Amino acid sequence: MGFICGFSVATGAAARLVSGYDSFGNICGQKNAKLEGIPNSGMDHTHRKYVFFLDPCNLDLINRKIKSVALCVAACPRQELKTLSDVQKFADVNGSALCSYTLKPSEYTIPSKASGVCPKLPVPASAPIPFFHRCAPVNISCYAKFAEALITFVSDNSVLHRLISGVMTSKEIILGLCLLSLVLSMILMVIIRYISRVLVWIVTVLVILGSLGGTGVLWWLYAKQRKSPKETVIPEQLQIAEDNLRALLIYAISATVFTVILFLIMLVMRKRVALTIALFHVAGKVFIHLPLLVFQPFWTFFALVLFWAYWIMTLLFLGTAGSAVQNEQGFVEFRVSGPLQYMWWYHVVGLIWISEFILACQQMTVAGAVVTYYFTRDKRNLPFTPILASVSRLIRYHLGTVAKGSFIITLVKIPRMILMYLHSQLKGKENACARCVLKSCICCLWCLEKCLNYLNQNAYTATAINSTNFCTSAKDAFVILVENALRVAAINTVGDFMLFLGKVLIVCSTGLAGIMLLNYQQDYTVWVLPLIIVCLFAFLVAHCFLSIYEMVVDVLFLCFAIDTKYNDGSPGREFYMDKVLMEFVENSRKAMKEAGKGGVADARELKPMLKKR
């Protein structure tokens, strides 16, 4: 990535991108060297700082460029020039020649000489684009072929005007509601700690009652329709009624099977739900001892924005990099030849890989801090800033682990994106079989990506615990997850559903506050768009905060699994876990003793990741 950026800047792309260049390869605003075989090159444009297009409205969307001769000029025409006399007068007054370099301003009014080398009339009023020194038409209706539909919609659609005015007049309310969603997210993370026990059981009961209710309604509808007299049904509708009855029977049987399976799963996992409750409770304590965890999404987002800005800027540099080549019209284009022309492919791969790398750094940082908290017996002896200590360990020891994990995700994500692109390009052209295969491949790759993401996150936790490399950590984490499959299922179903309800709660609360505030705003009547903006922002904020909470819970579970295997609470092998988790272990022991089994709770499910050193 550094080589690509350096190459694009070193080959003059930065100057050509910022200052612009004419159709003869001259960079505006500076002296230029002569290009062999290209006329009008090597000119001194020190006083000509702006790029002017003779026909700025002639766009080539396929090649993403303006199909027009470009010249370097001293100033952009701020007012419309309707005739060649106006163009000549503009050159005399402003010293800015808008026709070809070979034509003197005194010859502008001679039609035979001005044909094809002077701008298309009328010349639209234009202004320089900030920082990029291009003369752009002030009135975008100039691009009528491409913008006519949009301009007509904007100018004629009164609903759109009301929506935009609603956003502009309620910007203070929108900002206040966004801050409210931020505060609610922080408060919810604290509340979950204290009501986790009640909330989990409420969610579990509601899911069971909802399944039972849905199944009962389906059977009731089936019984009601079956008892309805068929004599009153006309012959044409009799077949339809029988098909509906058969469909209701299938739905009712499917719902019954689903409910029975769900009930059995809940019955088997009821003891493991207690572990989910304990982990959520301890996660709340983690945020009290490590308050900087709350701000982790901000730093990650800031790092991503900086990288994306760098990536876009380098991509723009690449677009103007390379050697000067004369095209069919005799004008200069800059192209990269040889293997270097495929650099932008690697640049795209770098976008995915480094974005995943930044997210993986967040996961490793959180895992390191939570592991430090868990395995410190006396919480008063915690480092002053466990987050910074975790970042330091990441930079010194674990960057390779994070890079490898993010690269594996990239290897899966790129084929999926290629298949999605092919699917969008072939929409309506491929046959049903090909469409089904394509969608199946996309779905399988998506599932694989999600599984690898989850495994990677646990591998980072194993690395933080044992300081092993990525492959060893991934293997150890996978063994622990498989041997604790029921517990993992309980945490990832009940826990994730709880956090999803938390996101819904924040969005609904913010939306309700928005409705109450916007209802008193009388400056406009349509406040749908401001409300949508607020709700989307609230969901994004809630997702960022609660995803950190979910990450902490997953890290705590892996630490708990290691702790219960290495230690049994006896002298010299005391548990590291919190008192809440210790109560869960003791309750499990008592339950097993009453059943006549004895031993450590669920010891058969927990095996060591490494031999004790």
Side-chain angles (χ1 to χ4, degrees), residues 12 123 369 453 455 510 580 588:
V123 180
N453 266 320
L455 180 61
T510 307
V580 178
S588 299

Side-chain angles (χ1 to χ4, degrees), residues 20 38 90 136 138 177 237-238 252 279 383 386 431 478 526 611:
I38 298 177
F90 179 80
V138 175
L177 291 172
Q237 294 183 351
L238 184 60
L279 288 174
N431 56 41
F478 180 75
V526 179
K611 292 183 179 179

Side-chain angles (χ1 to χ4, degrees), residues 402-419:
V402 173
K404 186 181 290 186
S406 56
F407 180 65
I408 291 173
I409 301 298
T410 305
L411 289 179
V412 178
K413 183 167 286 189
I414 290 177
R416 183 171 67 86
M417 296 177 69
I418 293 174
L419 290 177

